[in-house]
Amino acid sequence: MRNRLCAERKGDLAGMAAVLLLLAVVLPATLDPFRLNLVSKYLAFAFVAVGVVLTWGYGGVLSLGQGMFFGLGGYMMAMFLKLEASAPELPDFMVWSSVEQLPWWWIPFHSLGWTVAGILAIPAVLAYLFSYAIFKRRVSGVYFAIVTLSLALALTVVVVGQQGETGGANGITDFRTLLGRDITGDDAKRVMYFVEVLAIALVMAVSLVIVRSRFGKILIAIRDKEDRVRFSGYDTAHMKAFVFALAAVLSAIGGAFYSLQVGLIAPGVIGVVASVEMVIYAAVGGRLSIPGAVIGALLIGFLKSYLSETFPEGWLYFLGAVFILVVWAMPNGLAGLGRKLLRRCSAQAAP
C-alpha cells in the first residue's frame, strides 16, 4: 500500500511537471497569438475542473452548478473593467436601459482591491452557507446535483432578466484596459497568459497538498463511508461544505481570468449546459487527478474549437461521441489510462 501511494504521488508530481512544461514552454513557443489566447480561454475552465476533482473525485459531492461561481467571478471582474472603461459615465448598457444612477452593489467594483476580495470571498461564503445547510440535512448524491443544477438555471434567468444592471442576454462587453493599461494587444495577452499559468500552477500545488494531507484522507473516507466517519466524531457536513466552498473560489478565479482573456462575460457561462461541460472536463481528464483535470479542460476546449471549424454543422455530434467513448472505454479518464499503461510497462520491465 505504501509503495502504491508513493507511486501515485510521484505520478501526480510528474503529471504536474508535464502540464507546466506544456503550458509554460511548448505552447508559447509553437502557437501564434490567436491560438495562444484560445488556450488562455480553455485554461480558465481548468480552474473549475480542478475544483470538480476535489469535490466529486475526492469528496463524492457532484455539483452540476459550478457555472454559478464561474459566472460570479467573471461578472465581478467584468464590472470593474466596465466601470474603468466607462468612467466617469454609466456603462453603456445602463444608459440604453434608461438607468439613471449606478446600482449600489456596483459601487465597490470601482476598486480592484475590493473586486479581488469579492471574487475570493463572496463565492466562498455563499457556497459554504448553502452547502452546509444542505449537508447538515444529509442531502447528498443526485439530490444535491439536482439542487445545484436548479440554482444555475435560476441564476441565469435572473441575470438575463436584469438587463439594466447586468447587461441581460448580451452580458458585459467592451472593456479594453486594466488599471489604465491596454489588455487587448498581443503582448498584453501573452503576459496575462503567463500570469494565468502561474496561477494554475499554484492551484495544482495547493490541491495536491490538500488531497495528500490528513484532511484529504478524511475526505476520501467520507466519500466511501460517510456514516462511519460521522460516528467517529467528525463533522462531515462542515468538511464537505469546506471543500465545496474551495471549489467555488477556484471557479470564480477561473471566471475572472475568462473575462480578462476573452473580453466579455455572458449568461451562457452560468447556465446548465456550461455547468455540465465543466464536470465533463474533470471526467475526461480523470476525476481523481489534479493534472488530469487541467489536461481535460485543454483537450475539450481544443476539440470544441477544431471540430467547430472543421465540421461547422455537425461538430456537436463528434464531441458527443468523444464523451461517450471516454465514459465507456476510460471510466477513470486519461489519467487512469496513463496510470494503467505505466503499471503495465513497469510489470514488463521487472525481472
Side-chain angles (χ1 to χ4, degrees):
M1 177 64 72
R2 182 176 297 178
N3 291 336
R4 181 180 177 182
L5 292 176
C6 184
E8 289 182 355
R9 185 173 302 177
K10 290 181 179 179
D12 287 336
L13 293 176
M16 179 177 169
V19 169
L20 292 180
L21 179 65
L22 174 69
L23 293 174
V25 179
V26 177
L27 294 182
T30 56
L31 297 181
D32 59 72
F34 173 75
R35 295 293 176 185
L36 191 63
N37 189 46
L38 286 180
V39 174
S40 301
K41 176 183 174 181
Y42 311 151
L43 199 56
F45 292 103
F47 291 89
V48 191
V50 171
V52 171
V53 167
L54 293 176
T55 56
W56 180 35
Y58 286 92
V61 177
L62 176 59
S63 170
L64 297 180
Q66 293 305 101
M68 294 185 294
F69 306 113
F70 187 88
L72 281 175
Y75 268 91
M76 283 188 277
M77 178 56 71
M79 289 161 66
F80 168 77
L81 297 173
K82 189 65 176 179
L83 288 174
E84 181 176 304
S86 305
E89 306 294 333
L90 289 176
D92 47 16
F93 63 85
M94 291 187 182
V95 175
W96 300 334
S97 300
S98 301
V99 175
E100 298 180 353
Q101 186 176 3
L102 189 70
W104 63 267
W105 51 277
W106 273 72
I107 295 175
F109 298 100
H110 280 291
S111 165
L112 180 60
W114 281 111
T115 300
V116 173
I119 291 170
L120 297 177
I122 293 176
V125 172
L126 292 178
Y128 180 84
L129 294 177
F130 157 73
S131 60
Y132 185 76
I134 296 293
F135 294 141
K136 200 66 176 176
R137 293 179 176 270
R138 301 186 184 180
V139 175
S140 60
V142 66
Y143 301 103
F144 183 80
I146 292 173
V147 170
T148 55
L149 191 66
S150 301
L151 288 175
L153 180 60
L155 183 59
T156 304
V157 173
V158 171
V159 171
V160 172
Q162 300 298 315
Q163 171 70 38
E165 298 183 354
T166 64
N170 296 322
I172 303 177
T173 63
D174 194 24
F175 31 81
R176 300 177 178 274
T177 61
L178 174 64
L179 297 178
R181 297 184 179 181
D182 178 70
I183 57 174
T184 60
D186 291 340
D187 291 339
K189 288 186 176 296
R190 189 177 181 86
V191 171
M192 288 192 296
Y193 169 79
F194 282 107
V195 172
E196 193 172 9
V197 170
L198 180 61
I200 198 65
L202 180 61
V203 165
M204 284 194 293
V206 171
S207 299
L208 286 175
V209 170
I210 289 175
V211 299
R212 298 302 177 193
S213 67
R214 178 180 176 83
F215 174 79
K217 293 179 174 64
I218 296 174
L219 199 62
I220 294 173
I222 293 173
R223 179 196 66 192
D224 296 336
K225 291 291 182 181
E226 183 175 356
D227 288 341
R228 291 187 180 182
V229 179
R230 188 184 300 114
F231 293 152
S232 298
Y234 291 97
D235 187 349
T236 58
H238 166 70
M239 291 184 169
K240 291 197 295 184
F242 173 80
V243 76
F244 183 71
L246 177 60
V249 173
L250 296 183
S251 298
I253 293 173
F257 276 114
Y258 181 90
S259 292
L260 282 168
Q261 296 286 6
V262 179
L264 62 89
I265 190 72
V269 299
I270 302 176
V272 172
V273 175
S275 295
V276 173
E277 281 187 0
M278 293 170 187
V279 175
I280 292 175
Y281 299 149
V284 170
R287 66 189 185 100
L288 290 174
S289 173
I290 302 298
V294 179
I295 292 298
L298 294 175
L299 178 62
I300 297 302
F302 167 77
L303 285 176
K304 288 177 67 176
S305 296
Y306 174 76
L307 293 175
S308 62
E309 292 172 1
T310 309
F311 308 100
E313 295 183 357
W315 69 276
L316 282 174
Y317 297 104
F318 286 94
L319 192 61
V322 171
F323 295 157
I324 295 172
L325 179 64
V326 168
V327 173
W328 174 67
M330 297 181 293
N332 293 320
L334 296 174
L337 178 63
R339 288 169 181 166
K340 185 181 295 185
L341 293 175
L342 285 175
R343 284 197 298 267
R344 184 174 299 177
C345 292
S346 299
Q348 291 176 351

